[in-house]
Amino acid sequence: MFNAVLFVTCVLIWGSTWYAIKFQLGNVALEWSVAYRFFLSALILLLWCVISRRRLRFALRDHLLFAWLGALLFSINYMFVYWGTVYLTSGLVAVAFSMISLANQANGALFLRIKIEPKVLIGAVVGMTGLVLVFLPEFQRLSLDDTIIFGIFLCIVGTIIASFGNTLAATERAKSLPLFALNGYAMLYGSIIMAAYAVITGKPASFDTSSDYVLSLIYLSLFGTVAGFTIYLTLIKVWGLARTAYIAIAIPVVALLISTAFEGYVWTLPAILGVGLVIMGNMMLIRKKRPAPLAAPTGGGPAAG
């Protein structure tokens, strides 16, 4: 029963983070918001490592790996997702990002030499078909000056980059490193990379002291990143990766329900069918006889915002 509560809690947290990102948009440059989020998360994780006396000293080559993970999982990918959230409702962003399961399979085959089964290819077609149906009402309302396609493009780019990060995290070298320290350092490097990019591109450093911005930042850092990820790891130890991976299937549904309640998202028949196909496609991608190629993804989990 307790594990079921953890499962529901994780789904609710990660399903709601997409909407919380909306409150990060506005007075502060998105690049700085990403940097603040993961700097705060890194501080919490690294402080926990100090308190629990976990290993924090690593070789230079390990720090290079941390930096690469930080760039792919905790900075560049989220920059594109935050940009995409400007143009799309949070629920649609979550649905687009849920297709990271497909990107993971493709990268696993390309870089880790993992054979793609026929069922995976069918699942990919089903999932992509569902994605088109979900966005069909948006496409039908397109005009020459519409930015919806640009928003979808940004989210897809962010998803692909995150998948590269998951693939790197699935290498034997990455899996040999202590998980909390790895993520703490990766988040720290990610925040530094994002801050450096903001400075180079001339984005002024600022901070919004409004309650909406501060509370959403705390929620994304403490709950969306640290708490959600800790729950996810706990469930992996108890249930295993395959069963825990079903969190990724429920997240888009929660995100769309929240978007319906607070952003005015309107359900249509194609959207309902599309969500069903996306869920079905992800189930086919996740349910495999042998272990999934990405044994223990780092970061916000399979489809976290």
Side-chain angles (χ1 to χ4, degrees):
M1 179 64 182
F2 179 68
N3 292 328
V5 172
L6 289 180
F7 181 92
V8 173
T9 301
C10 193
V11 169
L12 292 177
I13 289 175
W14 280 344
S16 60
T17 52
W18 300 101
Y19 181 63
I21 290 175
K22 284 286 185 179
F23 294 95
Q24 296 287 285
L25 312 179
N27 298 327
V28 180
L30 297 181
E31 294 82 356
W32 283 109
S33 291
V34 174
Y36 296 151
R37 172 180 178 177
F38 290 109
F39 182 72
L40 180 57
S41 299
L43 287 183
I44 296 171
L45 282 175
L46 294 176
L47 180 60
W48 169 248
C49 289
V50 172
I51 294 174
S52 59
R53 297 184 178 181
R54 297 172 186 265
R55 177 187 170 196
L56 281 174
R57 297 184 65 179
F58 297 92
L60 177 60
R61 69 169 192 159
D62 294 328
H63 280 277
L64 291 175
L65 175 61
F66 298 153
W68 270 111
L69 284 173
L72 296 172
L73 283 175
F74 304 118
S75 57
I76 300 175
N77 65 316
Y78 273 97
M79 179 179 69
F80 278 96
V81 170
Y82 275 49
W83 284 348
T85 307
V86 173
Y87 305 106
L88 302 173
T89 64
S90 58
L92 292 178
V93 175
V95 173
F97 199 82
S98 72
M99 293 310 295
I100 194 172
S101 299
L102 171 59
N104 286 346
Q105 296 290 345
N107 284 331
L110 183 62
F111 297 106
L112 303 180
R113 298 182 179 180
I114 296 174
K115 182 180 178 181
I116 296 182
E117 299 175 0
K119 183 168 62 174
V120 171
L121 295 177
I122 297 174
V125 173
V126 171
M128 291 303 296
T129 302
L131 198 62
V132 171
L133 287 176
V134 169
F135 283 103
L136 184 60
E138 315 298 320
F139 292 146
Q140 291 175 336
R141 293 195 295 266
L142 283 179
S143 61
L144 292 178
D145 59 347
D146 213 315
T147 54
I148 291 176
I149 291 181
F150 184 55
I152 296 172
F153 170 77
L154 292 172
C155 291
I156 291 175
V157 171
T159 302
I160 293 173
I161 293 173
S163 179
F164 283 132
N166 278 341
T167 305
L168 179 59
T171 61
E172 292 302 319
R173 181 182 165 196
K175 289 191 292 184
S176 68
L177 296 169
L179 199 53
F180 281 97
L182 181 147
N183 278 277
Y185 276 122
M187 290 177 189
L188 179 61
Y189 282 117
S191 65
I192 294 173
I193 291 170
M194 202 74 269
Y197 174 81
V199 171
I200 292 173
T201 55
K203 303 293 174 57
S206 60
F207 191 83
D208 188 347
T209 58
S210 68
S211 58
D212 285 347
Y213 185 86
V214 173
L215 291 176
S216 63
L217 178 62
I218 294 174
Y219 184 79
L220 289 168
S221 301
L222 182 58
F223 292 95
T225 304
V226 178
F229 182 48
T230 301
I231 294 173
Y232 183 70
L233 289 179
T234 302
L235 288 175
I236 285 179
K237 290 181 179 180
V238 178
W239 283 353
L241 180 67
R243 189 177 177 188
T244 306
Y246 283 92
I247 288 175
I249 297 174
I251 287 174
V253 177
V254 172
L256 281 173
L257 290 176
I258 293 175
S259 184
T260 301
F262 298 104
E263 296 179 288
Y265 177 75
V266 179
W267 289 84
T268 61
L269 181 58
I272 294 173
L273 293 175
V275 171
L277 290 177
V278 168
I279 293 174
M280 185 184 302
N282 273 307
M283 289 182 66
M284 297 178 71
L285 290 168
I286 292 171
R287 295 183 64 179
K288 299 182 67 179
K289 292 182 179 180
R290 60 170 175 256
L294 302 181
T298 63

